[in-house]
Amino acid sequence: MMVPPPEQAERKAAAVLALWGILSYKVDLVKILWKHSEQPVHLALICSVILKNLSIHVSELSLKNEMEKQSKEFSIMATNIITEGYDKLPPRALDLLCEKNPVWSYKPLTEIAAFAKDHRFIANSCCQKYLDNLFMGNIKVRDLPYGDITIPLWLKIILTNFLVFPMFLWIVFDDENGQSSKIRLLKHQQSISERKDPNLEKIYLLN
């Protein structure tokens, strides 16, 4: 039987304690644990969806409204963290959205937010940027100003659809590693030229 590392066991224990607290409706305890959590965005989204689903089965109106209010507060907490992280360090925030952790059953933040139907979290700029890159296949439109003249984004897209030449000016195709197609083409041509280099062939024959 494989024993998990102490750090992972501690994270899992803290997550289980937070889940027990939210299921027992000990919101103050959960907020204290949330402040010391290593994954506050995951925890806030999970607490938000739990309170939202539990409030459906509550008949007392005051308690129902209070649970809905707390669910909204946890959603705002998660959204504020990811938005602030995206403003300060966009690559790390985008990586956080697709990060999978065994504590949360390898569920990324985007999947948790989609399951919770958390429109507030999905509508923030970081999630929208991630979804744009996902659905557009890492196609990016470059900004090439010509002096004081700036061509709007919509005009670039329309011209690219009907003409071939603007595509080479404004459209960049990036792979998962962030390398553009031009860089990959240059590396490919360089590798071919190195293989065709007669000096390299002579060295190979001498060896």
Side-chain angles (χ1 to χ4, degrees):
M1 182 178 179
M2 184 178 295
V3 179
E7 297 82 4
Q8 183 177 346
E10 184 177 353
R11 295 192 199 99
K12 191 172 183 179
V16 171
L17 182 59
L19 292 178
W20 170 82
I22 202 67
L23 291 172
S24 304
Y25 199 61
K26 300 180 183 297
V27 181
D28 295 335
L29 173 62
V30 175
K31 289 182 179 179
I32 294 174
L33 295 173
W34 174 81
K35 291 181 180 179
H36 301 280
S37 175
E38 295 183 2
Q39 295 176 321
V41 185
H42 290 78
L43 182 58
L45 280 179
I46 292 293
C47 292
S48 176
V49 67
I50 289 177
L51 289 175
K52 182 179 179 181
N53 292 334
L54 286 178
S55 64
I56 301 174
H57 306 282
V58 177
S59 57
E60 187 178 348
L61 184 59
S62 60
L63 180 59
K64 182 183 181 70
N65 293 336
E66 182 66 23
M67 294 179 71
E68 291 177 352
K69 179 181 177 181
Q70 294 294 339
S71 174
K72 181 180 178 180
E73 184 176 348
F74 277 109
S75 174
I76 294 175
M77 289 159 59
T79 305
N80 290 341
I81 291 178
I82 199 69
T83 303
E84 185 176 355
Y86 182 71
D87 293 338
K88 293 183 178 179
L89 197 61
R92 179 67 187 101
L94 291 172
D95 291 339
L96 183 62
L97 286 178
C98 54
E99 185 178 281
K100 298 180 180 180
N101 192 282
V103 177
W104 308 108
S105 301
Y106 298 96
K107 300 293 184 182
L109 285 173
T110 51
E111 187 172 342
I112 296 174
F115 174 78
K117 297 180 181 180
D118 195 333
H119 303 290
R120 182 184 296 101
F121 185 85
I122 297 176
N124 77 82
S125 56
C126 184
C127 283
Q128 290 301 308
K129 182 66 174 179
Y130 173 79
L131 294 175
D132 288 343
N133 293 337
L134 182 64
F135 290 118
M136 294 180 64
N138 290 327
I139 299 176
K140 299 179 180 178
V141 182
R142 292 191 297 179
D143 186 13
L144 296 176
Y146 301 94
D148 297 333
I149 302 174
T150 302
I151 300 177
L153 178 62
W154 61 269
L155 182 58
K156 292 180 181 179
I157 296 175
I158 292 177
L159 293 176
T160 303
N161 287 333
F162 293 98
L163 302 174
V164 178
F165 179 71
M167 182 182 298
F168 296 97
L169 289 177
W170 296 321
I171 305 299
V172 178
F173 299 90
D174 289 353
D175 58 10
E176 295 180 353
N177 297 325
Q179 292 182 342
S180 64
S181 56
K182 293 182 180 180
I183 296 177
R184 295 198 304 272
L185 180 60
L186 291 174
K187 289 184 177 180
H188 180 65
Q189 292 176 348
Q190 184 179 2
S191 63
I192 293 176
S193 62
E194 289 178 353
R195 287 198 297 268
K196 291 183 178 180
D197 192 350
N199 295 327
L200 293 177
E201 294 180 358
K202 290 180 182 180
I203 295 173
Y204 178 79
L205 292 175
L206 289 175
N207 292 334

